[in-house]
Each structure stands twice: as structure tokens, then as C-alpha cells.
Amino acid sequence: MREIIDRVTAFLTCSLMIVMVFIACWQVFTRFVLSAPSTISEEFLRYSLIWLTMVGSAYAYGKKKHLAVVFAARKIPVKYQLFVHLLVEAIVILFIVVVLLFGGTKAYQNAIGQVSSAIGMPMEYLYLSLIVSGVLFLFYSILHIKDYFVKHKQMSQMN
């Protein structure tokens, strides 16, 4: 399941990035060559960057490629490291539930009926990025917890 989610997320983020590069080039072309700037490109790029950031950060978290302060965690005795990892994941899950899922749902509900000015896109699609990334973060966090238990069990069997 993880591989499927990873592949789909990587494909979507890479595809969105490629589209954003082409749209940015189009915006520069229309502004400086045609002297008639595109009206939708700036808004599209702004909203795409939000989606790219939210989904991409969940993907990076899932791959453990995010910024982490591990200096202090490495100094803790091995027998307490599982507790520290679980504590960190509990804090992450709390953030995910409160900010991304609960807050994202509230923002989504508040945006219903609003429309973006240039594209005419319903604004709830923008705030849906919070909920989607929250679900991805939660999925990856649960997998991290499972991985920590498996690793801890393997280390216990070695001793």
C-alpha cells in the first residue's frame, strides 16, 4: 500500500511541478514578449504552489527526508529511543488532527461558495489541500509508528 501511495504522490507532485514550470514560462512570455500578461497564470501558480507544498511535504515526511533534529535523540539510551520516537509521532499526529484535519475542514467549510477572482475556481478546492495532506501525513505517521515497533522488536531479539 505504501508503495502505491508513494508512487501516486510522487507522480502528482512531479507532474504539477512540470505544469507549473510551463505556466511560469508562459507568464513570462506573455508579459515581456506579447506585452499582454496572462490573467490566470499568476493565480494558478499561487494555488498550485500551495498544493505542491502540502502534498510534497507529506511525501517528504513519509520518506523521512524532512528536516529533523536528531542530535538529541541520538544521545538518548537505546532502550528509551522507542519512547522518544513514539512521543514525537504522537505530537505530529496531534498537529495533523488539530491543524490539518480539523482546521482544514473548518477552512474548507468556510470557503464553500467563494470563487477565485481570475480562474473562477471554487475556493474549497484550495483548502482541500489541507485535508488531503493531513490524510497523507496521518497515513505516513502510522506507518512510522509501525516501523518503530518492528525495529524495536528486531533489536530486542538481537539482545
Side-chain angles (χ1 to χ4, degrees), residues 56-144:
S57 61
Y59 178 72
Y61 178 73
K63 291 289 191 180
K64 294 189 178 184
K65 300 292 183 187
H66 61 289
L67 290 174
V69 180
V70 294
F71 175 75
R74 289 183 183 154
K75 299 293 182 187
I76 295 171
V78 176
K79 64 181 181 178
Y80 298 118
Q81 285 187 3
L82 177 65
F83 174 75
V84 171
H85 289 304
L86 294 178
L87 179 65
V88 169
E89 290 299 328
I91 293 169
V92 168
I93 289 173
L94 180 66
F95 174 82
I96 292 166
V97 170
V98 171
V99 175
L100 295 178
L101 296 177
F102 181 73
T105 302
K106 288 290 187 186
Y108 177 86
Q109 291 169 342
N110 288 338
I112 292 175
Q114 297 178 20
V115 179
S116 67
S117 58
I119 300 175
M121 176 188 79
M123 291 303 292
E124 58 260 25
Y125 294 162
L126 176 64
Y127 293 105
L128 188 61
S129 66
L130 294 168
I131 299 168
V132 170
S133 69
V135 169
L136 285 171
F137 267 108
L138 192 60
F139 172 75
Y140 285 124
S141 186
I142 291 167
L143 288 180
H144 289 171

Side-chain angles (χ1 to χ4, degrees), residues 23-24 26-27 30 37-46 119:
I23 297 293
W26 172 253
Q27 182 179 18
T30 59
S38 171
T39 57
I40 65 167
S41 57
E42 183 180 344
E43 190 171 280
F44 174 81
L45 288 170
R46 185 181 319 125
I119 300 175

